[in-house]
Amino acid sequence: MEENVVAVIGPQSSGIGHVISHVANELHVPLLSFAATDPALAALEYPYFLRTTISDYFQMNAVASIVDYYQWKRVTAIYVDDDYGRGGVSALGDALATKRAIISYKAAIPPNSNADVISDVLVRANMMESRVMVVHVNPDTGKRIFSAANKLQMVASGYVWIVTDWLAAVLDSSASRDLKDMSHIQGLIVLRQHTPESDAKNKFISKWNTMARNRSVTSGLNSYGFYAYDSVWTVARAIDQFLDSGQQINFSTDPRLHDSNGNTLRLSTLKIFDGGEQMLQQLLLTNFTGVTGPVQFGSDRNLVRPAYDILNVGGSGSRLIGYWSNHSGLSIAAPEILYQKPPNTSAQQLYNVLWPGDSTTMPRGWVFRNNGQALRVGVPNKASFKDLVSSRGPGNVTGYCIDVFNTAIKLLPYPVPVQFVTIGDGTKNPSYIGIVSMVAANTLDAAVGDFAIVRNGTAISEYTQPYVEAGLVIVAPVKQTPPSAWAFLKPFTLEMWCVTGALFILVGVVVWLLEHRINEDFRGSPRRQVITIIWFSFSTMFTAHRENILSALGRFVLIIWLFVVLIINSSYTASLTSILTVQQLDTGITGLDSLIASSLPIGYQNGKFTKKYLIQELNIPESRLVALNTIQEYADALNRGPNYGGVAVIVDEKPYIDIFLSYYCNFRIVGQQFTREGWGFAFQRDSPLAADMSTAILQLSESGQLQRIHDEWFTRRGCASDDESQVGATRLGVGSFSGLFLMCALICIFALVVFFIRICWQYNQYSSSEAAREPSAADADAIQRRPSGCSFKELLQFVDKKEEEIRRKMKRRSSDKDNQAAGSSGALSVTSAY
């Protein structure tokens, strides 16, 4: 820099680039680097720094795309602890975050570390759960890393190694590859800066090979060599444009740059390039096609069209399995082809990979950590519902939820030591969202119990597949009312009964008027016609009428009336059914709508999400809500009711209510379940355990073992089927219809009384007519033999006779009597004449 320079090409490392960039800024000399890839070397801090290669920002986005393509969520970053390594890992963390993945462990290696230090770092990394290793180091450190990893058997089946472009540069630069060194890196995925095939590139390679043979150069040409070649042409073109524009190359001194006493830096020899700003602008306007493809800078001063080759090391070399570009992500088509099409990042594709250990099966990417720490599982120590989860001391927990968790975790293909941590004192339910927050804060690794999968929880943690279906329901007390003898009258009001009866009479009169003149069924004596009207109208309610309707108007009226009768009959049946069953509810709350509309107090389980749901989603005032902890508190609050310091209903998840109703039978669920969720186990965000446990829960469900666990815990006998307090299908007794039966009995008795009075009157008339008739000789003998008085047998015989026959005999006897009277008077007249 003591010379009068207008541009600097270099340096070849990011660390030196940070130092030299400060000097370049002060002297206004553009600094072009074809190897400093640290994203921290940005234009905002270093305005005269210009990167003529691809920034590690894009390389780390390519790594994140590979991790996301194989659906890995956690990686271990192994990097050299300098500006180059730290900058790259920082960019990797940001790129993974966009894919919902994280760096679970950072293994920093000090620069120039020996094999022992590197081995110690790898051992600590191997204790972590992630088996996806991203290596971002310099070539010297990288070789020692894989030598140590091979000794630790870390380049084996189940491991994933993703290596940044330093290894591709090493492999491309090696004229002859040592098979021993290659055996250490089998199955690795390696990134390399993509340079499209072109005639210019092929000519340059040919010239390089000729030069290498003539000068006995053993190293090959890598992608950084191509970018170095284009960097020289970039500067040359910029200087040419600078001079063609009439600019002069002048330098000036800075009085601030002087040597202190004893200072050997010779700062006074440094001069400022007066045309530095103009030279920088000419560089930024660069636009030509070099051996690396288009050489052009974007608005962020990075090369346009960044792309990488994705290689898979195998045997004595490597094979191309795909590309990554900032335009279309992962693909098996060359980036220069895809850049001619619209961006499409939905169809990501790579060729098959040969993984470490010569495996063709994609590694799971993680194992349970073997650092001696057990899985910290938080369990709520509740005051009630002990069948679900309960604590009997430190680490000693039981319950249905615990059994499901333990059974599922045994199905995992790897051992997972578990340490249960109880949360709560057992006298009051702990906050469930608070326990899930502890999982999110890494205080716990998981939360096991009756945890509902709700929106607030999923925002901070990862839930498994639900193992129990749940949802909020309403439970209310049942009013034990004695059966009403006149319940059958309640479906209609008095007004409705009167209107209905009047309509029956009206329709009968209308039909009689329409049919009277043409239909013999509607003619006769006035008494008969009145009976016909009443009988016809009321019989339409129960059975087909016997009278034929002849007129068209009569039939039309009858059709309409039969439809009305059908509606009235159906409505009466439905209303009576409702009265005999639904009337048992004590509070008048029959579902969610009536719950919201009322102002009655509502009970909920303390610690659960129910309170927040009722307030935020249903807009129920908090003043109406009453926190409850135990099953006994549930029953006591419902029995007291809202008038005596209790609650009208309780809103809770259905599994809790099912357990509650198995103990107390004088309550029932009203309305429908109005939320749909389930219970699951909570893990930290993007935890691989969550996915594996979900698979295990599905296996339990498909095998029927999940149902067997449920039956083992919830087989207690509930309310007896013959218990009078049972709230199931309502059983109707005689008392519910005693009024109806009494009415029918009274009508029957009345009809019988009238009938027997009439029979007695007819028998008396019949006997009188028979006594008045003059008996014959045979009759006289019979009368003499018959005892005096009325015989019961004769009465029964009289009742058994047809009424028409009785009337006919009485009529005949009456006429005989008249004839006898007429004959007697004639005989008397003749005698008088004589």
Side-chain angles (χ1 to χ4, degrees):
M1 300 296 291
E2 294 178 0
E3 305 294 333
N4 293 333
V5 296
V6 296
V8 177
I9 299 177
Q12 297 188 43
S13 68
S14 298
I16 299 177
H18 279 275
V19 177
I20 300 301
S21 294
H22 289 287
V23 179
N25 288 346
E26 294 297 330
L27 300 182
H28 297 180
V29 176
L31 175 64
L32 286 77
S33 178
F34 57 86
T37 57
D38 180 12
L41 289 168
L44 185 62
E45 185 177 359
Y46 306 106
Y48 282 88
F49 175 81
L50 197 60
R51 196 189 332 267
T52 54
T53 186
I54 303 177
S55 169
D56 279 341
Y57 168 82
F58 299 105
Q59 182 169 211
M60 295 309 167
N61 276 273
V63 172
S65 296
I66 296 173
V67 172
D68 182 63
Y69 177 77
Y70 292 108
Q71 297 182 1
W72 298 315
K73 294 301 180 182
R74 300 190 176 198
V75 305
T76 295
I78 302 174
Y79 63 100
V80 62
D81 195 9
D82 60 7
D83 292 331
Y84 162 72
R86 289 189 296 269
V89 169
S90 176
L92 175 62
D94 295 339
L96 289 174
T98 63
K99 307 293 185 180
R100 290 196 62 183
I102 60 171
I103 300 176
S104 60
Y105 182 72
K106 294 181 180 180
I109 299 177
N112 304 318
S113 296
N114 56 33
D116 293 336
V117 174
I118 293 175
S119 295
D120 291 340
V121 173
L122 292 180
V123 168
R124 289 193 296 271
N126 199 37
M127 290 180 179
M128 301 297 111
E129 59 186 14
S130 174
R131 285 294 178 264
V132 180
M133 310 292 180
V134 179
V135 183
H136 184 59
V137 295
N138 52 53
D140 293 336
T141 304
K143 293 179 180 179
R144 291 192 289 269
I145 286 176
F146 286 106
S147 177
N150 189 68
K151 293 179 181 179
L152 295 173
Q153 298 183 351
M154 293 177 64
V155 190
S157 179
Y159 286 85
V160 178
W161 292 86
I162 302 175
V163 187
T164 54
D165 57 9
W166 65 267
L167 181 57
V170 171
L171 295 177
D172 292 340
S173 300
S174 302
S176 60
R177 296 172 181 175
D178 189 350
L179 293 180
K180 182 179 180 181
D181 293 337
M182 292 298 296
S183 65
H184 296 167
I185 57 175
Q186 296 295 304
L188 273 60
I189 295 178
V190 183
L191 275 72
R192 178 178 64 191
Q193 294 158 327
H194 175 72
T195 54
E197 296 297 325
S198 64
D199 293 338
K201 178 181 176 181
N202 293 332
K203 290 180 181 179
F204 176 70
I205 294 175
S206 177
K207 289 181 180 180
W208 173 270
N209 292 335
T210 301
M211 182 275 299
R213 287 193 300 269
N214 295 335
R215 300 185 182 182
S216 300
V217 177
T218 58
S219 62
L221 188 64
N222 59 46
S223 58
Y224 285 102
F226 296 131
Y227 283 104
Y229 182 78
D230 282 346
S231 298
V232 175
W233 276 104
T234 299
V235 174
R237 288 171 178 271
I239 293 175
D240 189 50
Q241 294 294 330
F242 178 83
L243 295 176
D244 288 346
S245 63
Q247 299 288 337
Q248 299 293 325
I249 298 178
N250 297 317
F251 297 90
S252 60
T253 59
D254 189 344
R256 294 174 299 174
L257 296 174
H258 59 85
D259 296 320
S260 303
N261 294 333
N263 194 332
T264 60
L265 293 178
R266 302 172 62 183
L267 296 178
S268 58
T269 60
L270 300 178
K271 296 181 180 180
I272 298 175
F273 178 33
D274 294 336
E277 180 65 28
Q278 290 75 16
M279 178 65 73
L280 178 63
Q281 294 304 318
Q282 290 297 335
L283 289 168
L284 293 175
L285 294 175
T286 299
N287 187 1
F288 72 97
T289 301
V291 296
T292 60
V295 181
Q296 183 180 358
F297 297 99
S299 59
D300 57 354
R301 294 193 179 185
N302 285 311
L303 290 176
V304 298
R305 297 187 176 183
Y308 283 89
D309 299 334
I310 302 176
L311 310 175
N312 181 211
V313 179
S316 60
S318 60
R319 64 186 182 92
L320 185 69
I321 61 172
Y323 304 91
W324 178 90
S325 67
N326 196 40
H327 181 72
S328 298
L330 299 176
S331 67
I332 56 176
E336 53 269 22
I337 298 176
L338 296 178
Y339 271 113
Q340 299 174 4
K341 302 177 181 180
N344 180 18
T345 58
S346 59
Q348 305 293 286
Q349 187 177 6
L350 292 175
Y351 290 115
N352 294 331
V353 176
L354 182 65
W355 304 100
D358 294 331
S359 173
T360 57
T361 303
M362 185 191 75
R364 187 170 60 246
W366 78 284
V367 296
F368 188 77
R369 56 176 178 258
N370 56 357
N371 59 358
Q373 295 182 4
L375 189 72
R376 301 164 299 175
V377 178
V379 177
N381 188 11
K382 304 181 58 168
S384 62
F385 300 103
K386 300 292 186 179
D387 291 340
L388 297 173
V389 58
S390 63
S391 175
R392 299 181 179 178
N396 184 11
V397 292
T398 59
Y400 165 69
C401 302
I402 304 301
D403 277 5
V404 173
F405 176 78
N406 288 334
T407 306
I409 210 166
K410 290 178 182 177
L411 296 178
L412 299 182
Y414 45 86
V416 179
V418 175
Q419 176 188 358
F420 290 108
V421 181
T422 56
I423 310 297
D425 56 7
T427 60
K428 184 179 179 181
N429 294 344
S431 171
Y432 277 62
I433 194 63
I435 299 177
V436 175
S437 299
M438 294 173 66
V439 175
N442 201 27
T443 304
L444 297 171
D445 297 315
V448 172
D450 45 341
F451 287 88
I453 303 175
V454 293
R455 181 179 57 192
N456 293 341
T458 56
I460 59 176
S461 64
E462 193 89 12
Y463 282 90
T464 63
Q465 171 80 14
Y467 62 91
V468 170
E469 291 185 1
L472 292 179
V473 294
I474 304 170
V475 62
V478 176
K479 179 172 58 177
Q480 299 297 330
T481 56
S484 174
W486 307 102
F488 69 94
L489 296 176
K490 293 183 179 179
F492 292 164
T493 62
L494 177 61
E495 181 183 8
M496 180 63 182
W497 281 115
C498 295
V499 171
T500 303
L503 282 175
F504 275 104
I505 301 299
L506 176 63
V507 170
V509 172
V510 171
V511 173
W512 176 80
L513 288 174
L514 296 175
E515 296 290 322
H516 176 66
R517 298 183 62 190
I518 61 175
N519 196 334
E520 289 295 333
D521 291 337
F522 290 87
R523 298 187 67 83
S525 64
R527 176 174 173 271
R528 181 188 174 189
Q529 294 186 48
V530 171
I531 294 175
T532 300
I533 290 173
I534 297 175
W535 165 256
F536 175 83
S537 59
F538 282 94
S539 66
T540 56
M541 186 173 182
F542 307 104
T543 184
H545 48 83
R546 67 179 183 179
E547 293 81 9
N548 293 325
I549 305 300
L550 302 179
S551 67
L553 288 176
R555 291 176 179 178
F556 176 73
V557 171
L558 185 60
I559 289 175
I560 300 301
W561 174 243
L562 289 177
F563 177 75
V564 174
V565 168
L566 175 65
I567 299 300
I568 293 176
N569 196 9
S570 301
S571 301
Y572 176 85
T573 303
S575 181
L576 181 61
T577 303
S578 176
I579 289 173
L580 293 175
T581 56
V582 181
Q583 66 176 358
Q584 295 177 351
L585 297 180
D586 192 19
T587 60
I589 294 177
T590 58
L592 182 61
D593 293 337
S594 57
L595 174 70
I596 297 174
S598 71
S599 59
L600 299 174
I602 304 170
Y604 69 93
Q605 185 179 165
N606 190 23
K608 297 290 288 185
F609 75 98
T610 311
K611 176 182 179 181
K612 192 171 185 179
Y613 180 86
L614 293 175
I615 295 175
Q616 294 184 354
E617 302 297 331
L618 303 183
N619 298 319
I620 293 178
E622 187 175 358
S623 59
R624 291 180 58 190
L625 304 181
V626 179
L628 304 172
N629 288 288
T630 65
I631 294 178
Q632 292 74 18
E633 290 183 8
Y634 276 32
D636 182 61
L638 287 173
N639 286 328
R640 290 202 311 268
N643 296 329
Y644 299 95
V647 297
V649 295
I650 289 177
V651 177
D652 207 347
E653 294 170 90
K654 193 172 185 301
Y656 299 121
I657 298 303
D658 289 340
I659 296 175
F660 170 67
L661 294 181
S662 68
Y663 287 93
Y664 297 95
C665 303
N666 54 332
F667 308 102
R668 66 169 293 180
I669 296 175
V670 297
Q672 300 294 323
Q673 180 176 309
F674 56 90
T675 63
R676 299 288 177 184
E677 68 266 350
W679 289 354
F681 306 130
F683 291 87
Q684 295 180 8
R685 287 296 299 270
D686 302 318
S687 171
L689 262 177
D692 288 354
M693 284 293 289
S694 294
T695 303
I697 290 172
L698 288 176
Q699 292 178 2
L700 291 177
S701 178
E702 292 172 357
S703 65
Q705 193 170 359
L706 190 63
Q707 184 62 42
R708 288 193 292 271
I709 297 174
H710 179 276
D711 295 340
E712 289 175 2
W713 280 96
F714 305 110
T715 55
R716 72 174 299 273
R717 183 175 178 269
C719 302
S721 59
D722 56 350
D723 191 347
E724 293 182 358
S725 62
Q726 180 189 7
V727 184
T730 303
R731 302 179 63 187
L732 303 178
V734 176
S736 300
F737 303 98
S738 58
L740 190 62
F741 295 156
L742 178 62
M743 180 189 300
C744 183
L746 291 176
I747 291 175
C748 291
I749 293 173
F750 174 77
L752 288 174
V753 169
V754 173
F755 173 77
F756 280 112
I757 292 174
R758 185 181 177 200
I759 286 294
C760 291
W761 179 81
Q762 288 181 347
Y763 184 72
N764 185 48
Q765 294 293 324
Y766 180 80
S767 300
S768 300
S769 65
E770 186 175 286
R773 182 173 61 89
E774 182 177 349
S776 63
D779 292 338
D781 293 339
I783 293 172
Q784 289 178 358
R785 290 193 300 267
R786 185 177 64 188
S788 61
C790 178
S791 171
F792 181 72
K793 183 178 179 181
E794 291 179 353
L795 180 62
L796 291 179
Q797 291 175 352
F798 178 80
V799 172
D800 187 53
K801 292 180 179 180
K802 286 187 176 181
E803 185 174 356
E804 184 179 356
E805 181 182 351
I806 298 297
R807 290 179 178 177
R808 188 170 56 251
K809 285 184 177 182
M810 292 177 65
K811 185 177 181 180
R812 186 174 61 249
R813 289 175 181 177
S814 178
S815 62
D816 291 345
K817 182 179 178 181
D818 292 341
N819 292 335
Q820 290 178 3
S824 299
S825 90
L828 289 173
S829 299
V830 172
T831 303
S832 299
Y834 283 110

